[in-house]
């Protein structure tokens, strides 16, 4: 289909008012419309896969006239990386919508909630399917507005305080992104990523500043230490569906942007010495984030904040993986990801972390929905009352811990295989790699602590739950089943996404 990506962009946009009015009649109908549109969009994105796999440049591109005075086309494109992340983003949106049928039942203003969820999907997916820098920034900011209102309007105790923190931090990061994009246009005269990449080669000094600005802005969205402060509050106060999207897609968008823009577009023009120093800097921040997130998760007692700090730790893994990007690209070489295990593993980890952490947050939301308790010290023995939730949560926890045969194991394994390959050429990476191996042990520790405290052991004496304790309702189960299937299948057979990732080249 020649306009598949345009439909992916347009369908949820046009559907937003219909979702709102459907929600006035039946919130369940609104939720299922959002889920159905996400399912249709998955099918539309999948139609581009044969072109990505078989074409000469391994890209699927649609161009439409937009702003001639800026030489800007409305360009939609996917390659092996963006098509993979777009598919998983839509899967999470579909799961969040289905989960909401029971989870959000009885809450106020549900027509607005589902309309915002539909609008949020436009920004979330749009970031991954465009090569136009203006459209990219539009989608980057579009993610923020519905997220702010969903966190604030349907969150927990101090929801608007957390939403405001989310808005201020990520919008401050977006200022750096806008400065970088503006500098690219002023320097090259192009708004297309690939055209700008070719033109930046003559502006080495400017490219270095652009690289720093873009990466700083994207790091805020990734919640890398020390610009992570918004994430624990936003995740813990947001409804579980929004937490799943925040951790599964929104922070992953920051990592994708570093790979696509910082490393893919600007990095080839900065010179080899600066390039190596820059990658070493990413390594340091990645290791710090991995340890900080893991150590706080080990002592945290709030069920959602544990998972939130786990997200900071895993973005540390991702940033460490990105720091293994081939420095030879800055010398004019073209690198195919088929030859680079670390970046293949990093992109795959974005996918695997998205489904695993999305499942983890939905499971935590299910526990809170049924018990109305969020302190794990007041839980215990829930597996007997909530067996489905216990099994799903354990699968998510073991995946996050990097345990085979679940999804995150294979992606972490590829990152470390790539790290050992890089160590042969750059001994700097020896200590960081050793430290990151230690961080995986910490991941296992907080994951097992979570599972044992919540689901196993003896129920705590004197704790009285708000109502009779039973397992989660069917729509919540259906949403979690979708993600459980992905966590297991991606752990056993990740070939579909690996083959797509391997078609991508940089340089």
């Amino acid at each position: 289909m020649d306009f598949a990506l345009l439909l992916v962009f347009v369908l949820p946009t046009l559907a937003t008012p219909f979702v709102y009015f459907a929600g006035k009649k039946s919130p369940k109908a609104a939720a299922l419309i959002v889920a159905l549109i996400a399912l249709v969009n998955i099918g539309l994105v999948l139609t581009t896969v044969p072109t990505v796999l078989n074409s000469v440049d391994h890209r699927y591109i649609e161009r439409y006239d937009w702003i001639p005075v800026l030489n800007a086309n409305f360009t939609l494109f996917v390659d092996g990386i963006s098509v993979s992340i777009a598919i998983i983003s839509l899967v999470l949106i579909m799961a969040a919508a289905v989960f909401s049928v029971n989870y959000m039942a009885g809450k106020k203003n549900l027509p607005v909630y589902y309309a915002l969820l539909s609008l949020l999907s436009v920004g979330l997916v749009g970031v991954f399917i465009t090569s136009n820098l203006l459209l990219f920034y539009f989608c980057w900011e579009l993610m923020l507005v519905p997220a702010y209102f969903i966190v604030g309007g349907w969150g927990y105790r101090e929801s608007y305080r957390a939403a405001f923190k989310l808005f201020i931090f990520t919008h401050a990061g977006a200022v750096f992104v806008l400065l970088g994009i503006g500098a690219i246009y002023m320097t090259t005269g192009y708004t297309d990523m690939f055209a700008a990449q070719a033109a930046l080669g003559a502006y080495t000094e400017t490219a270095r500043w652009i690289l720093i600005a873009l990466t700083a802005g994207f790091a805020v969205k990734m919640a890398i230490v020390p610009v992570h402060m918004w994430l624990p509050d936003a995740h813990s106060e947001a409804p579980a569906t929004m937490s799943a999207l925040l951790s599964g897609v929104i922070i992953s968008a920051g990592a994708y942007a570093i790979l696509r823009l910082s490393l893919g577009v600007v990095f080839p023009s900065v010179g080899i010495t600066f390039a190596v120093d820059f990658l070493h800097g990413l390594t340091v921040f990645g290791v710090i984030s991995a340890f900080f997130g893991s150590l706080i998760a080990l002592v945290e007692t709030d069920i959602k904040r544990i998972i939130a700090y786990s997200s900071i730790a895993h973005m540390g893994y991702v940033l460490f993986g990105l720091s293994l990007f081939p420095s030879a690209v800055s010398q004019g070489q073209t690198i195919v990801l088929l030859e680079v295990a670390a970046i293949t593993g990093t992109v795959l980890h974005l996918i695997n972390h998205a489904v695993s952490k999305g499942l983890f947050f939905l499971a935590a939301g299910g526990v809170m929905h049924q018990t109305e308790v969020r302190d794990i010290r007041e839980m215990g023995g829930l597996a007997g009352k909530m067996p489905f939730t216990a099994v799903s949560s354990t699968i998510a926890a073991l995946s996050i811990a990097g345990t085979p045969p679940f999804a995150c194991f294979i992606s972490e394994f590829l990152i470390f295989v790539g790290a050992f390959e890089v160590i042969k050429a750059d001994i700097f990476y020896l200590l960081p790699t050793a430290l990151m191996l230690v961080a995986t042990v910490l991941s296992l520790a907080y994951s097992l602590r979570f599972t044992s405290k919540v689901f196993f052991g003896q129920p705590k004496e004197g704790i009285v739950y708000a109502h009779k304790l039973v397992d989660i309702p069917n729509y919540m189960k259906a949403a979690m089943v979708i993600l459980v299937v992905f966590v297991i299948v991606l752990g056993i057979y990740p070939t579909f996404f690996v083959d797509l990732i391997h078609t991508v080249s940089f340089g």
Side-chain angles (χ1 to χ4, degrees):
M1 188 181 294
D2 292 338
F3 46 87
L5 294 183
L6 183 63
L7 286 176
V8 170
F9 206 91
V10 168
L11 279 178
T13 306
L14 295 181
T16 298
F18 294 100
V19 169
Y20 174 78
F21 288 115
K24 288 281 192 181
K25 296 287 186 182
S26 167
K28 178 180 174 180
L32 296 180
I33 290 172
V34 174
L36 180 62
I37 291 171
L39 182 60
V40 170
N41 280 347
I42 291 170
L44 290 170
V45 173
L46 286 172
T47 65
T48 68
V49 169
T51 303
V52 171
L53 289 174
N54 302 318
S55 63
V56 175
D57 60 357
H58 298 293
R59 293 173 183 165
Y60 173 92
I61 300 175
E62 298 174 15
R63 287 191 179 91
Y64 306 95
D65 292 336
W66 191 27
I67 310 176
V69 70
L70 295 178
N71 193 27
N73 291 320
F74 193 92
T75 307
L76 302 173
F77 108 106
V78 288
D79 62 4
I81 292 174
S82 53
V83 74
S84 300
I85 301 178
I87 289 169
I88 290 301
S89 300
L90 289 164
V91 168
L92 276 170
I93 291 163
M94 180 174 66
V98 173
F99 192 87
S100 294
V101 173
N102 295 133
Y103 179 76
M104 298 299 292
K107 301 287 179 68
K108 62 181 181 180
N109 297 329
L110 287 182
V112 179
Y113 166 81
Y114 288 113
L116 287 171
L117 190 61
S118 179
L119 192 61
L120 178 65
S121 69
V122 179
L124 286 179
V125 180
V127 163
F128 304 118
I129 64 170
T130 182
S131 65
N132 181 279
L133 293 169
L134 292 178
L135 184 56
F136 172 89
Y137 184 76
F138 172 79
C139 293
W140 188 260
E141 287 289 72
L142 184 59
M143 284 192 290
L144 180 57
V145 178
Y148 170 82
F149 286 108
I150 291 175
V151 173
W154 293 272
Y156 290 94
R157 299 164 298 190
E158 298 181 338
S159 57
Y160 271 107
R161 176 179 170 274
F164 185 71
K165 206 172 187 180
L166 161 70
F167 185 90
I168 291 298
F169 269 84
T170 54
H171 192 64
V175 171
F176 285 91
V177 175
L178 183 60
L179 287 172
I181 289 174
I184 289 174
Y185 177 74
M186 295 299 293
T187 302
T188 67
Y190 293 109
T191 59
D192 182 78
M193 296 178 187
F194 304 110
Q197 177 189 341
L200 270 176
Y203 305 96
T204 299
E205 190 63 33
T206 303
R208 291 172 180 173
W209 287 105
I210 294 172
L211 180 65
I212 293 170
L214 289 176
T215 306
F218 299 144
V220 176
K221 189 79 83 175
M222 278 184 76
I224 294 298
V225 177
V227 288
H228 66 284
M229 287 83 81
W230 64 270
L231 184 140
D233 289 341
H235 278 53
S236 61
E237 298 302 324
T241 49
M242 191 64 225
S243 296
L245 293 174
L246 274 170
S247 188
V249 184
I250 292 179
I251 64 175
S252 296
Y256 168 83
I258 288 178
L259 180 59
R260 175 67 68 199
L261 283 178
S262 297
L263 298 177
V265 174
V266 186
F267 186 80
S269 303
V270 299
I272 183 63
T273 302
F274 186 89
V276 171
D277 291 342
F278 175 79
L279 293 176
H280 289 175
L282 294 186
T283 306
V284 173
F285 284 108
V287 172
I288 292 172
S289 297
F291 271 86
F292 177 84
S294 297
L295 291 172
I296 299 297
L298 267 174
V299 298
E300 182 61 68
T301 57
D302 184 288
I303 188 171
K304 289 187 73 181
R305 290 179 77 90
I306 293 170
I307 310 174
Y309 280 107
S310 166
S311 296
I312 295 174
H314 274 264
M315 286 303 103
Y317 293 142
V318 168
L319 192 63
F320 172 72
L322 291 174
S323 77
L324 302 170
F325 191 82
S327 58
V329 171
S330 66
Q331 295 176 299
Q333 294 186 30
T334 298
I335 302 294
V336 181
L337 291 193
L338 179 63
E339 305 165 356
V340 188
I343 303 301
T344 299
T346 300
V347 176
L348 188 61
H349 196 65
L350 290 177
I351 295 165
N352 293 346
H353 175 264
V355 292
S356 301
K357 194 57 65 68
L359 176 60
F360 213 173
F361 268 116
L362 293 188
V367 171
M368 292 175 62
H369 183 268
Q370 299 303 100
T371 65
E372 298 186 8
V373 173
R374 57 190 302 155
D375 190 332
I376 63 171
R377 294 171 297 183
E378 299 177 3
M379 300 179 189
L382 295 184
K385 299 290 186 181
M386 304 176 66
F388 177 86
T389 307
V391 171
S392 300
S393 180
T394 302
I395 289 171
L398 290 175
S399 180
I400 291 300
T403 307
F406 303 112
C408 289
F409 166 74
I410 187 63
S411 50
E412 289 182 12
F413 178 77
L414 287 172
I415 291 173
F416 285 116
V417 167
F420 287 118
E421 291 174 352
V422 174
I423 287 171
K424 297 175 185 177
D426 188 347
I427 198 64
F428 168 85
Y429 287 96
L430 180 59
L431 179 60
T433 302
L435 290 173
M436 292 302 290
L437 286 168
V438 173
T440 63
V441 179
L442 297 178
S443 293
L444 179 61
Y446 66 67
S447 298
L448 292 178
R449 173 178 175 264
F450 177 96
T451 305
S452 63
K453 289 280 188 182
V454 175
F455 295 108
F456 300 107
Q458 294 298 316
K460 297 298 177 289
E461 295 182 5
I463 299 299
V464 179
Y465 296 118
H467 46 75
K468 184 179 178 181
L469 193 58
V470 295
D471 215 334
I472 58 176
N474 288 334
Y475 278 102
M476 292 166 72
K477 286 180 180 177
M480 290 169 65
V481 164
I482 294 169
L483 299 184
V484 166
V485 169
F486 272 89
V487 170
I488 295 173
V489 171
L490 286 172
I492 297 171
Y493 192 76
T495 306
F496 174 76
F497 289 114
V498 171
D499 287 346
L500 283 168
I501 295 165
H502 279 170
T503 63
V504 179
S505 59
F506 288 93

